Amino acid sequence: MATSGPAFNMADFLAGITHAVAPGGQRPLVVHDEDLDTIPPGSVPNPTTLRIAGTLPTATFELFRQVIPAGESSDMQRHYHETVHFVLSGEGHSEIEGEAEPVTWRTGSFVYTPPWAWHRHHNGSATEPVEFLTIENSRLLGLFGLARRQSAGLVTLAEAKARFDHQEDT
C-alpha cells in the first residue's frame, strides 16, 4: 500500500492511517492545492471538508486543509497525536479539555490540541467558512503502533466525557 507518492490512494489512507511511509520512489517535494486528495464526505463524523497532502514524502506527520462551513463545527474528538491548526481564514473558538473557557482564534492564529484531550472547533461566522492548515504527528505514532482516535460526534465536552470516560472505567 502506498501511503504517499504518485500511487497514494485515499481508500488505502483511510484503511491504514498508521502505516509508515516507505522511503524512496517518486514522491514530489511540492504538492499544489489542486492536487490535494479530498477525504470522502461521510468518512469523518462532522460537516468539515478535509483534503490531505498525502503525496508529500512525510514520514512522521500529516498535512490537511480543513474547511468548517459557516455556522458549523468539527466533531468532539480526541486522539493520541498532537495537532496544530493554522487559521488560514476566519475566526471562531475551540473547546479543549482542560481549558476553563473556550479558546478564541482568528486568521493567522495557531491552535494547539494536546494529545488525548477532547476538543471541538467552532466557526464563529454565520456567513463565511473557516479554513485551517492542519498538521498532526499521527504518522509518527503510527510507526510505533500508538495511533488512536475517538469521535463523540456533534456533542458537548460533558457529553463526550460522560459517554467515553465511563466506558474506559469499566
Side-chain angles (χ1 to χ4, degrees):
M1 171 183 75
T3 56
S4 68
F8 175 79
N9 176 289
M10 182 58 66
D12 290 344
F13 169 76
L14 292 172
I17 193 169
T18 64
H19 292 239
V21 178
Q26 295 182 339
R27 299 182 328 209
L29 297 180
V30 175
V31 172
H32 302 283
D33 185 62
E34 61 270 14
D35 297 326
L36 299 181
D37 292 306
T38 302
I39 295 178
S43 297
V44 292
N46 65 61
T48 69
T49 300
L50 287 168
R51 295 184 310 130
I52 184 172
T55 58
L56 285 173
T58 60
T60 60
F61 63 93
E62 296 283 7
L63 292 164
F64 300 88
R65 277 189 86 156
Q66 181 176 10
V67 176
I68 302 176
E72 299 284 347
S73 72
S74 65
D75 58 319
M76 183 64 72
Q77 61 178 269
R78 65 182 176 181
H79 35 70
Y80 282 174
H81 58 267
E82 295 177 286
T83 303
V84 173
H85 294 280
F86 176 70
V87 184
L88 296 168
S89 64
E91 61 182 41
H93 70 276
S94 298
E95 298 171 77
I96 301 176
E97 184 178 13
E99 296 298 312
E101 299 290 326
V103 295
T104 59
W105 38 261
R106 63 183 185 285
T107 300
S109 298
F110 289 88
V111 183
Y112 175 73
T113 304
W116 209 237
W118 286 109
H119 61 281
R120 185 173 174 188
H121 308 292
H122 297 265
N123 183 339
S125 173
T127 59
E128 299 295 323
V130 162
E131 188 167 10
F132 293 132
L133 170 63
T134 302
I135 306 153
E136 59 183 48
N137 67 339
S138 53
R139 285 192 182 191
L140 176 63
L141 294 184
L143 292 171
F144 296 105
L146 299 173
R148 185 174 180 198
R149 181 186 308 258
Q150 290 179 327
S151 172
L154 301 176
V155 302
T156 67
L157 176 59
E159 291 169 322
K161 289 176 67 64
R163 179 175 154 206
F164 282 88
D165 292 354
H166 173 71
Q167 288 176 0
E168 290 183 357
D169 292 339
T170 58

